Amino acid sequence: MEAITNIKVLGTSPFSNRVEIALNIKSLDYEFIVEDNFNNKSELLLQSNPIHKKIPILIHGDKSMCESLVILQYTDDTWPDGLSILPSDPYDCAIARFWATYVDNKWFPLMLEIREAMGNDAKKAVLQNIIEGLDQLEEAFVKCSKGKDFFGGDNIGYVDIALGCFLGWIRGMEMMLGLDLVYEAQTPCLAKWAERFLSEKVVKDVILEHGVLDFLYEMYDGGFKI
């Protein structure tokens, strides 16, 4: 294993959870450094990501990088032994990238938009878009998983990590709105996938708790980077 001082993760967000899960998949030891990304950004954060000044950040030796999906690619390429994060087939890899980008650019922004929606009608409209997005992800799971347990097949992969990091956020949203978003009657495949994902050893103790997510949700102003 890498020496613990050789790999550091700066974060506290669903996006930094992605990095933690990826490193766990590769059985790598790392130091996790909690960042107060809203009020008191550390010098290490500012030096490691001088462009965006946001988390998550992976520091590997004397190299640092940001953007969670970029970090997943780097992790897979740098430590190729063991389980792969991205599919080896070029087409499957392209499809995985497409759906991960969909999660970040199309679906997740709706989870933030509902906070800003004014009035019940506006909130209902955003909620309907969230549900429609989950329906599309249900269909994507069927195609990507090819009848297996995860988007990545037999094991957690790129899309699993991209979407799975938001499961804590989704549960918190369900509690806040008093309704179900991912449940067997609406999205049966996603509901079963979510249970499997959260029970995996590499995921346990990584997904943020509701209280932390509620704080991030209220404070979110672009303070972390996808």
Side-chain angles (χ1 to χ4, degrees), residues 21 150 156 160-161 164 167 193-200 203:
I21 293 169
F150 299 100
I156 288 174
D160 298 286
I161 299 171
L167 285 174
W193 162 81
E195 292 180 7
R196 288 192 294 267
F197 181 84
L198 291 173
S199 68
E200 284 290 302
V203 174

Side-chain angles (χ1 to χ4, degrees), residues 40-212:
N40 187 26
K41 297 180 181 183
S42 71
E43 283 301 314
L44 181 60
L45 186 158
L46 297 174
Q47 292 171 4
S48 302
N49 187 1
I51 304 300
H52 296 298
K53 302 180 176 64
K54 297 175 183 178
I55 56 174
I57 299 169
L58 175 72
I59 300 175
H60 178 210
D62 59 356
K63 297 173 286 191
S64 62
M65 62 213 69
C66 56
E67 307 285 345
S68 61
L69 296 181
V70 172
I71 295 172
L72 296 189
Q73 173 78 64
Y74 176 85
T75 301
D76 213 23
D77 290 343
T78 303
W79 296 283
D81 293 339
L83 297 176
S84 296
I85 295 171
L86 280 157
S88 58
D89 179 82
Y91 177 76
D92 290 343
C93 186
I95 295 300
R97 289 178 183 277
F98 172 87
W99 284 112
T101 301
Y102 170 85
V103 169
D104 279 357
N105 294 347
K106 184 77 173 179
W107 182 79
F108 175 68
L110 294 171
M111 300 286 282
L112 301 174
E113 186 178 332
I114 198 168
R115 179 188 63 175
E116 307 297 336
M118 302 298 291
N120 288 335
D121 288 343
K123 289 185 182 297
K124 286 179 180 178
V126 177
L127 180 59
Q128 183 58 38
N129 288 334
I130 291 173
I131 293 171
E132 289 176 1
L134 289 170
D135 288 340
Q136 291 178 319
L137 288 166
E138 172 86 356
E139 294 178 10
F141 177 83
V142 172
K143 294 178 181 178
C144 293
S145 67
K146 301 176 182 177
K148 297 183 178 179
D149 285 346
F150 299 100
F151 282 92
D154 290 320
N155 302 296
I156 288 174
Y158 194 68
V159 183
D160 298 286
I161 299 171
L163 181 60
C165 74
F166 295 121
L167 285 174
W169 204 308
I170 290 171
R171 297 310 182 204
M173 183 73 71
E174 290 175 329
M175 294 172 63
M176 183 181 73
L177 297 174
L179 51 77
D180 293 323
L181 293 174
V182 177
Y183 63 107
E184 193 163 353
Q186 178 71 24
T187 52
C189 293
L190 279 186
K192 293 176 182 177
W193 162 81
E195 292 180 7
R196 288 192 294 267
F197 181 84
L198 291 173
S199 68
E200 284 290 302
K201 182 179 179 181
V202 296
V203 174
K204 286 181 178 180
D205 302 322
V206 170
I207 300 297
L208 294 175
E209 297 178 356
H210 296 326
V212 177

